[in-house]
Amino acid sequence: MAPSSYYRHQQQSQHPQQRSRRCLKDEHLLILIRNIWQQSRQIYGARKVWRALLRDGHRVARCTVEHLMRKHQMQGVWRGKGKRTTVCDPQLQRAGDWVKRRLSAESPNQLWVADFTYVTTHQGFVYTAFVIDVFARRIVGWKVSKRMDTDMVMDALAQALYARCPKGVIHHSDRGSQ
């Protein structure tokens, strides 16, 4: 930290009126934002808090409200349900659990675990399937797709089999839909 920054902080702590107008305005806005957010039982997000400020006659930019709420960990409630990726068919027969939640191995290519997840991007969801060697703790096969289907998972497993050519490997995955 630069000495000048330290001394400026000390000076402003002792004399708050010497802080910048922006800092003073943000401090005042933060009190208003927190009051509106608390009155809404912490349901309102930045947009609704901003609209409430405008209704009360306070001229403030929405990005300023977003910035202050994010900086002070104030977040509204999200609408809708989350993305549901695992929809299993209860009629399907499942493979037995040979691992019994003991996810450790003494040598490479002894135990592989597999799973898939989704990542939100600007253009929508992208699904990623991966196979991990438990001993090396490395991804040995993976696949990225715009669709969540069995082919994506099988391609990740095929890549791992081609790359490692294992003998007697135990492949463990959760009981998801793929």
Side-chain angles (χ1 to χ4, degrees):
M1 177 185 263
S4 60
S5 298
Y6 171 77
Y7 289 117
R8 185 177 64 241
H9 176 75
Q10 288 290 84
Q11 183 72 16
Q12 289 175 354
S13 296
Q14 293 171 359
H15 305 286
Q17 68 277 10
Q18 291 182 352
R19 288 183 291 167
S20 68
R21 282 192 294 173
R22 162 94 188 252
C23 187
L24 294 172
K25 184 178 178 185
D26 283 354
E27 193 174 282
H28 175 69
L29 271 174
L30 183 60
I31 293 168
L32 297 173
I33 289 170
R34 188 166 278 130
N35 286 340
I36 292 170
W37 187 65
Q38 293 289 350
Q39 288 172 0
S40 75
R41 296 184 314 272
Q42 301 176 358
I43 292 175
Y44 281 7
R47 190 184 66 209
K48 286 189 177 181
V49 170
W50 172 65
R51 286 188 177 153
L53 285 169
L54 292 179
R55 273 195 309 271
D56 293 344
H58 301 283
R59 285 186 43 140
V60 61
R62 189 170 98 184
C63 60
T64 303
V65 174
E66 290 169 352
H67 165 74
L68 288 172
M69 286 184 71
R70 188 171 36 252
K71 184 178 177 181
H72 295 279
Q73 288 89 34
M74 289 185 278
Q75 182 178 2
V77 175
W78 290 10
R79 266 192 204 173
K81 296 180 181 177
K83 182 81 170 158
R84 186 170 178 202
T85 59
T86 304
V87 183
C88 24
D89 185 0
Q91 303 300 322
L92 290 177
Q93 184 178 355
R94 305 283 180 203
D97 185 5
W98 291 16
V99 180
K100 307 279 190 244
R101 299 289 175 204
R102 290 186 309 267
L103 299 176
S104 62
E106 287 86 36
S107 63
N109 298 331
Q110 185 180 21
L111 174 63
W112 288 354
V113 294
D115 201 0
F116 69 94
T117 188
Y118 64 94
V119 180
T120 306
T121 66
H122 291 292
Q123 297 189 0
F125 288 102
V126 175
Y127 300 94
T128 308
F130 46 89
V131 179
I132 300 173
D133 184 350
V134 171
F135 178 79
R137 297 192 186 278
R138 291 186 186 261
I139 295 175
V140 293
W142 59 276
K143 176 72 176 181
V144 177
S145 176
K146 290 183 109 179
R147 293 180 298 140
M148 180 182 65
D149 56 9
T150 307
D151 291 339
M152 173 187 67
V153 177
M154 294 304 293
D155 287 346
L157 180 59
Q159 181 185 20
L161 290 170
Y162 180 79
R164 290 285 183 104
C165 301
K167 291 191 170 121
V169 67
I170 295 173
H171 177 263
H172 177 76
S173 66
D174 63 359
R175 295 176 171 225
S177 58
Q178 276 60 36

